Amino acid sequence: MSSRPRLALIHATRVAIDPIEKAAADLWPEAETVSILDAALSIDRAAASDLTAKLRDRILGLSRYAELTGADGILFSCSAFGSAIEAAADQSHLPVMKPNEAMFEAAFDHGTRVALIHTFMPAAKSMEREFAEASASRGVTTRLVPHFCEDALAAKRDGDDEEHDRLVAETAAAVGDADVILLAQFSMASAAPRARTMTRIPVLTSPEAAIAEIRRRVEARERT
């Protein structure tokens, strides 16, 4: 590995780029981050009833492309492609991570009743499956309740971060019976500070946890 590790960040929407690049700059300034965007992925995933073979192939292709750039680790930022990212990880010699792996691990420290706030409907189904698998691997019984925050993603895409954050925070405030609240997508991270002022339930986001974990995996690989 070069003196500066290269981290490939793969995105399906532009609004996920800034939160994860900021987290990388704050938590792993030694790394060189390279963002790879296929904005059509989120459009095509929203139009599909399920994760199609063509969408899976595109995820695999993006992972292979990231390898060709000389990446030392690969982090996907979109939550709606879980099983395809798992396949990419199986085929790669590099650490390849789904966006929410590390956040899920942190959630278990808070309890078993989990509220998942999401702004992109296809993300919920993928994350519910991943969380159930993570729970089963730990041998714990959990309850995950999704909460769809309508119109928030449209506001974010229109550049209205204030409206996006308001809608997400109001959704968090309405959550009652939960030990922890997860903000499902990287693009939602900006809403966390406001949400935390409106609820006593801990609110977790994925970018910082993901950067810390991918750094750990890349550096562990360097030592072997």
Side-chain angles (χ1 to χ4, degrees), residues 11-171:
H11 313 284
T13 177
R14 294 181 187 277
V15 296
I17 296 176
D18 286 349
I20 192 59
E21 287 191 342
K22 181 181 186 305
D26 290 344
L27 298 176
W28 199 7
E30 302 85 358
E32 176 185 52
T33 58
V34 178
S35 278
I36 301 167
L37 171 67
D38 179 352
L41 272 173
S42 59
I43 298 170
D44 297 340
R45 180 64 186 89
S49 59
D50 204 349
L51 189 55
T52 65
K54 287 184 178 180
L55 286 169
R56 290 175 189 272
D57 287 345
R58 284 161 64 182
I59 293 294
L60 294 172
L62 287 165
S63 180
R64 287 192 293 268
Y65 176 78
E67 291 181 10
L68 292 174
T69 69
D72 299 292
I74 301 169
L75 175 59
F76 284 83
S77 68
C78 185
S79 306
F81 300 90
S83 60
I85 299 170
E86 291 166 8
D90 289 341
Q91 294 182 19
S92 179
H93 65 283
L94 301 176
V96 178
M97 273 185 62
K98 295 177 290 186
N100 298 299
E101 292 180 46
M103 181 175 67
F104 287 166
E105 288 300 313
F108 292 125
D109 293 335
H110 292 277
T112 59
R113 301 171 303 164
V114 180
L116 176 73
I117 300 177
H118 61 99
T119 63
F120 185 57
M121 191 65 77
K125 184 176 180 181
S126 176
M127 290 185 68
E128 287 181 60
R129 179 186 63 81
E130 292 171 29
F131 190 79
E133 291 173 353
S135 299
S137 70
R138 277 177 162 250
V140 297
T141 301
T142 57
R143 186 190 68 183
L144 181 72
V145 179
H147 299 262
F148 179 52
C149 186
E150 192 172 2
D151 299 327
L153 183 56
K156 175 70 86 169
R157 285 173 171 163
D158 288 342
D160 192 347
D161 286 0
E162 172 67 21
E163 178 67 2
H164 168 272
D165 294 354
R166 182 188 69 80
L167 291 168
V168 173
E170 288 181 354
T171 303

